[in-house]
Amino acid sequence: MADEKKNPMREIKVDKLILNCCVGESGDRLTRAARVLEQLTGQQPVYSKARYTLRSFGIRRNEKIAVHVTVRGEKALEILERGLKVKEYELLQRNFSDTGNFGFGINEHIDLGIKYDPTTGIYGMDFFVCLTRPGARVARRKVRKGRIGHPHKITKEDAIQWFQDRFEGVVLAQEL
């Protein structure tokens, strides 16, 4: 009898999807990458700055070098589905973090279904997925803040199981 009912508080869901496109330089290429992310998500992307100067890479401190956008809700699931289709629903064990999040990268944004534009070029991007359970707000809210117990936290094994159940994905032990 207890096996038939699932606890709704134990269900894992996607909290947010972060798409990151690091160009490594400011200027025209960065604005074109921002246009690609805006086409993909329909949201205004945010620019990220370099933390310190690296002369070997040719970047200076506080120079805009990357662009990222955070997507939540149904749109996040839809974009994640398209990204996993590019990866053929195969991820590595090391793509999953100990806190139950996972990430992967793609080399060409045109694989996501965006039409190729010669003026824009081709950009790769990183996908980061944050998973959560209902009740996680308890630890983040301002008033009456609490702690999440260890059994309620998402582990690496929980995230891998969720990925396999939700997307019928394959998790490989290591690179081939």
Side-chain angles (χ1 to χ4, degrees), residues 9-167:
M9 294 296 281
R10 298 285 297 162
E11 286 178 14
I12 295 175
K13 63 181 188 237
V14 174
D15 185 30
K16 59 188 172 183
L17 168 69
I18 298 107
L19 296 171
N20 179 46
C21 186
C22 186
V23 179
E25 62 186 65
S26 57
D28 194 36
R29 282 192 65 209
L30 190 62
T31 54
R32 290 197 309 252
R35 203 169 346 136
V36 166
L37 283 181
E38 194 168 355
Q39 271 182 329
L40 184 63
T41 61
Q43 294 176 218
Q44 185 70 40
V46 178
Y47 293 94
S48 301
K49 296 178 179 178
R51 289 187 292 178
Y52 38 80
T53 302
L54 288 172
R55 293 198 56 193
S56 57
F57 289 158
I59 58 172
R60 292 183 304 279
R61 186 171 186 266
N62 288 335
E63 181 183 8
K64 292 179 179 174
I65 58 167
V67 64
H68 68 274
V69 65
T70 301
V71 188
R72 296 173 192 268
E74 287 300 316
K75 192 186 287 184
L77 281 171
E78 184 247 317
I79 295 171
L80 175 61
E81 182 86 43
R82 282 161 57 186
L84 286 171
K85 197 178 289 180
V86 172
K87 296 294 278 186
E88 297 173 347
Y89 299 98
E90 285 186 4
L91 293 179
L92 299 175
Q93 189 97 24
R94 69 174 190 211
N95 287 113
F96 292 85
S97 72
D98 293 333
T99 53
N101 305 317
F102 66 95
F104 58 93
I106 61 167
N107 294 329
E108 299 180 351
H109 74 274
I110 53 173
D111 294 335
L112 296 170
I114 298 176
K115 198 166 186 323
Y116 174 68
D117 183 13
T119 58
T120 305
I122 294 177
Y123 292 96
M125 61 185 67
D126 301 318
F127 286 66
F128 300 105
V129 182
C130 296
L131 299 176
T132 187
R133 284 194 168 115
R137 182 178 168 270
V138 169
R140 289 195 301 259
R141 65 189 179 191
K142 196 169 178 109
V143 180
R144 291 185 51 84
K145 189 178 287 220
R147 291 205 316 250
I148 295 177
H150 192 69
H152 201 64
K153 289 180 181 169
I154 299 176
T155 62
K156 184 175 188 171
E157 290 74 30
D158 291 338
I160 290 172
Q161 188 64 48
W162 176 85
F163 170 69
Q164 290 170 336
D165 293 344
R166 179 74 190 248
F167 297 106

